[in-house]
């Protein structure tokens, strides 16, 4: 039976290295499931697979979008589901690797059929947020969709804006599209979480910030400054280094903040993954054990 091996886990856990070894063992391609590595021009700050790593194994969804392109988990699901039949026609195993939880859920479980948002609506809502702030948008959401308002994270401005975008685009409450139905997939899914002891994971995060700077991260950030308003760059690392280039923060302070914010993000990922009983947790330092586990599951 065709099998999709999903390798996930918190940032800096070692997904790229493990995915390469698993993919080489099964002669399988790799589908990137990192929502930032899919963009061009920011390979250092997103820890994207290098040209050498991509030469070892065919990769998909790495560096394929411009920074100002609109993308979503729904579009990712549609593109992956269109690609997989072609890949499975040539091989029995495909590897998906990444830590973007919504992207992985979209492929494994399906995503609600939420309307595509027009550029006009996105621009309008972004302008309103910049000019009015979050509170008026929250008040509007409470009136337009009290069901979603009652359960949403009201500090997450992106979720609030997106809900209002859907309401404006469709004329219906955002909650009416959130059915949460799990869709059947015509392939087996083996979902593996790569874990490390938390002190080790945090040490890897701290070290990676320094390694990225040595690779020329600050120059990369300087080159993409004209796109700083894009959602692709609304992420840990770029936001802090923009402050450095603005002259607002000293570099040492920004790097310490990046490491801290990345550790916070890793904790959020771990909390999210803990809710998924389908994930089999394995030692990220033992790719051989990961391969053995996959072999047993596929037999």
């Amino acid at each position: 039976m065709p099998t999709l091996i999903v390798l996930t886990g918190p940032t800096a856990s070692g997904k790229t290295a493990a995915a390469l070894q698993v993919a080489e063992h099964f002669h399988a391609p790799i589908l990137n499931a990192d929502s930032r590595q899919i963009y061009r021009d920011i390979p250092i700050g997103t820890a994207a697979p290098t040209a050498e790593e991509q030469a070892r194994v065919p990769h998909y969804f790495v560096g394929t979008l411009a920074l100002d392109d609109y993308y979503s988990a729904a579009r990712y699901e549609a593109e992956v589901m269109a690609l997989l039949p072609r890949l499975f026609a040539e091989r029995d195993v495909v590897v998906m690797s990444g830590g973007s939880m919504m992207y992985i859920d979209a492929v494994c479980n399906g995503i609600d059929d939420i309307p595509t948002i027009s550029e006009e609506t996105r621009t309008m809502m972004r302008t309103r947020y910049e000019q009015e702030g979050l509170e008026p948008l929250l008040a509007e959401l409470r009136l337009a969709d009290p069901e979603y308002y009652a359960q949403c994270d009201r500090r997450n401005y992106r979720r609030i804006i997106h809900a209002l975008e859907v309401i404006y685009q469709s004329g219906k409450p955002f909650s009416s599209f959130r059915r949460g139905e799990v869709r059947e997939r015509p392939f087996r899914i083996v979902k593996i979480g790569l874990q490390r002891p938390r002190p080790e994971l945090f040490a890897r995060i701290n070290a990676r910030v320094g390694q990225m700077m040595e690779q020329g991260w600050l120059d990369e950030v300087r080159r993409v400054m004209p796109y700083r308003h894009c959602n692709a760059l609304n992420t840990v690392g770029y936001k802090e280094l923009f402050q450095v280039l603005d002259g607002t923060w000293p570099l040492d302070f920004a790097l310490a903040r990046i490491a801290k914010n990345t550790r916070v993000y890793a904790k959020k990922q771990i909390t999210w993954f803990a809710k998924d009983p389908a994930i089999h947790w394995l030692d990220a330092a033992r790719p051989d054990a990961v391969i053995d586990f996959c072999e047993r599951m596929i037999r």
Side-chain angles (χ1 to χ4, degrees), residues 27-205:
H27 306 287
I30 295 175
L31 309 183
N32 165 54
D34 182 296
S35 65
R36 292 302 182 261
Q37 291 180 3
I38 201 167
Y39 290 98
R40 293 191 293 273
D41 302 320
I42 50 173
I44 298 174
T46 62
T50 64
E52 293 76 15
E53 289 168 336
Q54 293 186 58
R56 287 170 54 185
V57 172
H59 281 68
Y60 296 86
F61 304 101
V62 176
T64 57
L65 296 177
L67 291 173
D68 55 357
D69 283 342
Y70 173 72
Y71 206 67
S72 65
R75 182 173 163 189
Y76 181 74
E77 177 198 11
E79 293 182 357
V80 169
M81 294 304 296
L83 174 63
L84 281 175
R86 301 202 300 272
L87 297 179
F88 282 137
E90 300 173 357
R91 54 187 59 81
D92 295 328
V93 174
V94 173
V95 174
M96 174 180 286
S97 174
S100 293
M101 298 83 79
M102 291 187 67
Y103 280 35
I104 292 169
D105 279 356
V107 171
C108 293
N109 302 318
I111 198 167
D112 295 326
D113 293 321
I114 295 173
T116 300
I117 308 302
S118 68
E119 183 61 36
E120 180 183 9
T121 300
R122 285 201 306 274
T123 301
M124 181 267 290
M125 289 306 307
R126 184 169 62 241
T127 301
R128 284 195 57 196
Y129 172 68
E130 292 170 354
Q131 294 178 349
E132 302 174 28
L134 185 59
E135 288 304 317
L137 301 184
L138 278 169
E140 184 173 343
L141 180 62
R142 182 174 57 189
L143 292 174
D145 191 351
E147 180 181 340
Y148 182 66
Y149 177 85
Q151 61 186 242
C152 68
D153 178 357
R154 296 168 202 164
R155 296 167 299 179
N156 190 327
Y157 71 91
R158 280 178 285 184
R159 297 277 177 87
I160 303 304
I161 290 172
H162 181 58
L164 287 171
E165 286 173 344
V166 172
I167 292 168
Y168 274 93
Q169 193 74 38
S170 67
K172 300 177 181 179
F174 180 57
S175 56
S176 68
F177 296 97
R178 290 164 51 86
R179 295 187 300 274
E181 298 172 355
V182 176
R183 297 179 184 172
E184 292 291 328
R185 297 307 195 193
F187 48 83
R188 173 171 44 203
I189 298 172
V190 177
K191 197 181 294 186
I192 295 170
L194 300 175
Q195 63 182 356
R196 293 179 184 271
R198 193 162 295 197
E200 179 184 339
L201 178 67
F202 288 174
R204 287 171 62 90
I205 289 172

Side-chain angles (χ1 to χ4, degrees), residues 247-293:
T248 306
W249 287 356
L251 181 59
D252 288 349
F253 176 82
L255 296 180
R257 183 65 66 88
I258 291 169
K260 177 183 177 181
N261 290 343
T262 305
R263 295 193 299 270
V264 170
Y265 176 61
K267 292 176 185 177
K268 290 181 179 178
Q269 289 177 301
I270 292 169
T271 300
W272 177 291
F273 295 137
K275 299 175 184 176
D276 187 348
I279 296 178
H280 303 274
W281 289 99
L282 299 175
D283 186 350
R286 291 279 316 280
D288 56 324
V290 174
I291 291 171
D292 288 345
F293 179 82

